[in-house]
Amino acid sequence: MEEYCQAYASALYSLLEEKERPSYQNALSSIGKDFAENPSFLRLLSSYQIGYEEKEKMLKRIYGPLGLPRLLPFLCLLVKKHRIASFDDIESCFASLCDEASSTTRGIVYSVSPLSREELTSIEASLGKKTSAEVKLRNVVDPSLLGGVKVSLGDKVYDGSLKGKLDNLAKQLKGGSL
């Protein structure tokens, strides 16, 4: 990740009051999803063939209604300085700053099929108790797990998947330590 990504994220973070940060974090996350679902839009904003004013109008029309006063100038600055292509990294740095300030840990929960909101919340709460931090998880479907879940949280992996249990059993059988 480029150093400038951290600089842009830190600049926005420092401009916001603590109570404003979650709204901006949610908005940046949503914009990141927009770019992921519509990569041609991100390419358009990065293009040198379209003038800055036209790009600014597009951003105002799409993100102006969110009503976050510093969001539009921030996005326009990224476009003007040709940094919008690094939006994912900038958004990730901003999220890390917010998470650090709120003692939140982010991770990924892998499962065979999509988890319901209740299941995800239950796993987050359980891991929150275990780690003494607020835990936010993103669900990724991985059919190779066969069943159960595997959670990657920071530098730790909690493997409660059927595949993980079978792999452990195979290791024990090979090592003769059953």
Side-chain angles (χ1 to χ4, degrees):
M1 191 171 316
E2 298 289 336
E3 203 173 295
Y4 68 82
C5 295
Q6 184 66 41
Y8 280 100
S10 295
L12 178 60
Y13 183 87
S14 66
L15 287 172
L16 302 173
E17 293 181 27
E18 187 176 335
K19 65 181 183 208
E20 294 176 296
R21 291 176 184 147
S23 297
Y24 279 81
Q25 187 176 6
N26 290 337
L28 292 175
S29 176
S30 178
I31 293 167
K33 288 176 186 166
D34 289 349
F35 290 161
E37 292 170 4
N38 303 295
S40 58
F41 180 49
L42 184 59
R43 283 193 302 276
L44 182 76
L45 292 174
S46 301
S47 172
Y48 285 90
Q49 296 181 353
I50 297 172
Y52 170 72
E53 293 77 20
E54 188 64 32
K55 294 174 190 176
E56 184 180 34
K57 285 178 191 174
M58 281 188 276
L59 290 170
K60 279 183 184 176
R61 193 170 50 247
I62 297 168
Y63 299 114
L66 293 177
L68 299 172
R70 289 185 171 82
L71 181 64
L72 201 53
F74 179 71
L75 294 173
C76 290
L77 178 68
L78 294 179
V79 167
K80 192 173 207 171
K81 297 293 184 181
H82 305 288
R83 300 296 193 195
I84 196 74
S86 299
F87 184 85
D88 272 352
D89 290 338
I90 295 167
E91 187 269 329
S92 179
C93 288
F94 185 83
S96 293
L97 289 168
C98 291
D99 290 346
E100 188 177 312
S102 66
S103 299
T104 300
T105 304
R106 291 193 181 268
I108 301 172
V109 58
Y110 300 93
S111 59
V112 175
S113 59
L115 297 175
S116 69
R117 186 71 226 150
E118 294 79 26
E119 291 169 322
L120 199 57
T121 302
S122 174
I123 295 168
E124 288 172 342
S126 177
L127 288 170
K129 287 179 188 172
K130 187 176 194 122
T131 62
S132 301
E134 183 180 354
V135 174
K136 298 281 185 188
L137 296 172
R138 180 173 52 96
N139 186 208
V140 173
V141 174
D142 181 357
S144 73
L145 296 178
L146 304 175
V149 298
K150 180 170 91 171
V151 178
S152 175
L153 195 60
D155 60 351
K156 294 192 186 309
V157 175
Y158 302 93
D159 194 347
S161 69
L162 182 56
K163 181 182 183 322
K165 291 176 183 178
L166 289 172
D167 288 347
N168 284 339
L169 181 61
K171 283 180 191 174
Q172 289 176 352
L173 288 172
K174 284 181 184 175
S177 62
L178 235 184

